[in-house]
Amino acid sequence: MSDILEEIKREKIVAIIRASSSENIMHTVESLYRGGIRLVEVTMNTPGALDAIGKLKTLKGDLHIGAGTVLDAESAVAAIRSGAKFLLAPTLDERAIQAANRYGVPLIPGVLTPTEALRAYEFGAKMVKIFPIRSFGPDYLKDIKGPLPFIQTMVVGGVSIDNISKYLKAGACSAGIGSSLVDNQLIETGNYDEIERRAKQFIQAAKSI
């Protein structure tokens, strides 16, 4: 578990794929990989998500595939059995965290308040996802980290190329990037060169911190 968490902290960027179809996911992930992305989350509400995770896990040896929108323990176990190396959730569910920990796979739950962040930590979460961060900004993250410096944080929701460096400087270990990196229209039109270009931008911004 610690190995993948260290990888998340080292790479800093998790690409979030929430697509209307799993048809072009392989090409999408290949373009992200060419752009330097090594951590990809396929949300569980993507059609065929579990099959996609199973196929993607063998794509590249240094590519780590996770599952997102994991809402309960049953979904956590299903994703792990499909090959997910890490799990993310928009919400906080104790049973889901415990189930994932039992398999040695980190589940990063969604929290917003200091109370929720501490509760997730006490439930056994090794990192929490501050979500949605969009309306609060980097100063909010800094305020949470003040009294809770021991809690590792990922920021998700509205993170863009324009603000990612601010979040990382404010104390985020990593950032989950959705539509500003993997836009559904780009996937549907097969504009993989643009996905690759955006991936390179985010990697450069993250590595500069």
Side-chain angles (χ1 to χ4, degrees), residues 4-191:
I4 189 64
L5 287 172
E6 287 303 314
E7 188 74 11
I8 290 172
K9 289 190 289 183
R10 181 167 53 249
E11 293 294 325
K12 296 185 175 66
I13 303 292
V14 177
I16 301 171
I17 299 178
R18 179 177 283 105
S20 56
S21 167
S22 61
E23 182 180 352
N24 298 318
I25 282 185
M26 191 70 72
H27 294 306
T28 301
V29 173
E30 286 173 342
S31 65
L32 289 168
Y33 185 88
R34 289 194 301 271
I37 299 291
R38 295 296 179 265
L39 295 151
V40 176
E41 167 198 338
V42 178
T43 63
M44 291 289 278
N45 53 0
T46 296
L50 294 177
D51 288 339
I53 291 168
K55 292 175 182 176
L56 289 169
K57 70 178 182 180
T58 62
L59 189 61
K60 300 286 184 181
D62 59 343
L63 178 66
H64 305 284
I65 305 299
T69 320
V70 177
L71 301 178
D72 50 44
E74 291 75 18
S75 298
V77 172
I80 291 167
R81 288 177 175 168
S82 293
K85 297 301 182 186
F86 60 95
L87 310 175
L88 287 96
T91 52
L92 176 58
D93 185 272
E94 181 179 9
R95 289 182 62 248
I97 294 171
Q98 291 173 343
N101 284 348
R102 194 174 300 124
Y103 284 87
V105 174
L107 187 149
I108 303 170
V111 302
L112 188 58
T113 68
T115 298
E116 291 172 340
L118 182 59
R119 186 170 295 156
Y121 180 82
E122 291 172 341
F123 287 165
K126 308 304 180 186
M127 181 181 290
V128 300
K129 166 177 142 179
I130 308 297
F131 173 82
I133 196 65
R134 184 192 317 269
S135 300
F136 299 88
D139 286 341
Y140 180 75
L141 175 64
K142 194 181 297 183
D143 289 342
I144 288 180
K145 292 289 289 184
L148 303 172
F150 52 89
I151 295 182
Q152 301 181 89
T153 57
M154 174 188 292
V155 288
V156 180
V159 182
S160 69
I161 194 63
D162 296 321
N163 61 27
I164 183 171
S165 62
K166 295 177 183 177
Y167 284 114
L168 294 175
K169 288 177 181 177
C173 294
S174 59
I177 316 294
S179 59
S180 59
L181 173 57
V182 193
D183 184 270
N184 271 344
Q185 188 174 0
L186 296 177
I187 297 175
E188 291 169 5
T189 58
N191 193 350

